Amino acid sequence: MNNAGIMLIISAPSGTGKSTLIRRLSQEFDSFSFSISCTTRAPRPGEQDGREYHFLTEQDFLAKRDQGYFAEWALVHDNFYGTPKQATEDVLQAGRDIIFDIDVQGARQLKKNMGQGCYVFIFPPSPGILEKRLAGRGTDSRETIQRRLKNAKEEIANSSWFDHWIINDNLAIAHDQLRAIYLAEKTRPKYLHTWREKFQTEWRLS
Ligand code: ADP
Ligand code: 5GP
């Protein structure tokens, strides 16, 4: 795809701190759009349809999936999640950057289907701390937390292919690392071709 917007994909076991880190990065840079996924899970207190997610019934989700509406989709903790394809392409074509909070299977599919992006996996500092963060969020039942922990093991087992790993122990350091990855990614010539073209046109370079 020929564009100047970058895709920054963040994956991590639920409770690691993805949303916290993404929120911080989005507050710091206004060049970002957040990829609003569709999901069949129920909204958590404070979540708004069209802001954190598009909340769909399973029937609507499956109909969209069958129409090829998603760039990737996955069944995570017994709920469906998917990234709208057209919305992603529109953002990139407008030259804006887009940040994704998706699971490991979805990230792999996205890489295959879109053929681009910078893929970042975030680790919790330890299994015990992950458990504490999940419980500390206070939004999920005991049973949900157990399911999320089981999933965490699978995600960590499948994290070797990512471009970057961040350990979210000290939040300020993890944020600095994510910020550094984003800023370095933006310097890649493939995103800056229009910049070079200005010189080529003006100076008639080949
Ligand atoms: P995720 O989006 O990965 O599910 P959240 O961003 O909701 O995770 O974070 C889960 C909980 O852990 C939240 O209560 C958040 O405030 C807390 N948290 C996130 N990062 C850190 C950190 N580095 N140190 C301590 N607590 C953290
Ligand atoms: P939560 O229900 O806590 O918001 O998210 C649960 C998991 O679903 C997280 O690991 C999150 O990254 C993942 N997720 C959110 N949106 C998508 C999506 O569009 N596609 C995929 N594959 N996973 C998603």
Side-chain angles (χ1 to χ4, degrees), residues 146-206:
Q146 286 311 314
R147 201 165 344 123
R148 282 167 191 251
L149 279 173
K150 186 167 162 266
N151 218 58
K153 292 180 192 164
E154 227 164 277
E155 296 214 282
I156 288 177
N158 289 298
S159 60
S160 57
W161 62 274
F162 280 82
D163 299 316
H164 301 275
W165 285 356
I166 292 177
I167 319 297
N168 183 20
D169 186 358
N170 178 308
L171 186 59
I173 293 174
H175 170 70
D176 279 350
Q177 289 179 329
L178 186 58
R179 183 174 190 276
I181 290 167
Y182 170 59
L183 291 174
E185 184 66 15
K186 278 189 84 68
T187 66
R188 288 192 194 276
K190 66 181 172 186
Y191 303 119
L192 295 169
H193 58 92
T194 52
W195 199 257
R196 186 164 181 258
E197 275 161 19
K198 282 192 224 172
F199 292 85
Q200 281 177 311
T201 311
E202 178 96 13
W203 289 342
R204 296 194 177 83
L205 303 176
S206 54

Side-chain angles (χ1 to χ4, degrees), residues 38-178:
C38 296
T39 184
T40 58
R41 91 150 155 74
R44 293 197 182 111
E47 285 184 335
Q48 243 177 53
D49 188 36
R51 191 177 65 187
E52 285 82 9
Y53 285 104
H54 300 290
F55 294 99
L56 301 182
T57 62
E58 193 163 314
Q59 194 182 7
D60 287 346
F61 187 99
L62 295 176
K64 282 194 184 319
R65 181 196 64 180
D66 295 344
Q67 288 157 13
Y69 181 82
F70 297 119
E72 63 74 33
W73 66 273
L75 186 64
V76 189
H77 319 127
D78 298 337
N79 288 301
F80 287 105
Y81 293 82
T83 302
K85 189 173 181 174
Q86 192 59 53
T88 305
E89 284 175 353
D90 291 348
V91 170
L92 293 173
Q93 249 138 34
R96 283 184 63 76
D97 301 327
I98 182 158
I99 192 158
F100 299 78
D101 171 347
I102 63 177
D103 86 320
V104 170
Q105 4 162 21
R108 248 194 194 285
Q109 273 187 64
L110 200 65
K111 187 167 185 178
K112 186 166 148 252
N113 297 344
M114 303 287 289
Q116 61 172 317
C118 176
Y119 293 78
V120 181
F121 187 82
I122 304 179
F123 282 84
S126 70
I129 291 178
L130 177 61
E131 224 163 309
K132 267 199 202 123
R133 284 190 192 160
L134 276 170
R137 195 162 57 180
T139 52
D140 299 306
S141 68
R142 226 183 148 77
E143 190 199 1
T144 303
I145 292 175
Q146 286 311 314
R147 201 165 344 123
R148 282 167 191 251
L149 279 173
K150 186 167 162 266
N151 218 58
K153 292 180 192 164
E154 227 164 277
E155 296 214 282
I156 288 177
N158 289 298
S159 60
S160 57
W161 62 274
F162 280 82
D163 299 316
H164 301 275
W165 285 356
I166 292 177
I167 319 297
N168 183 20
D169 186 358
N170 178 308
L171 186 59
I173 293 174
H175 170 70
D176 279 350
Q177 289 179 329
L178 186 58

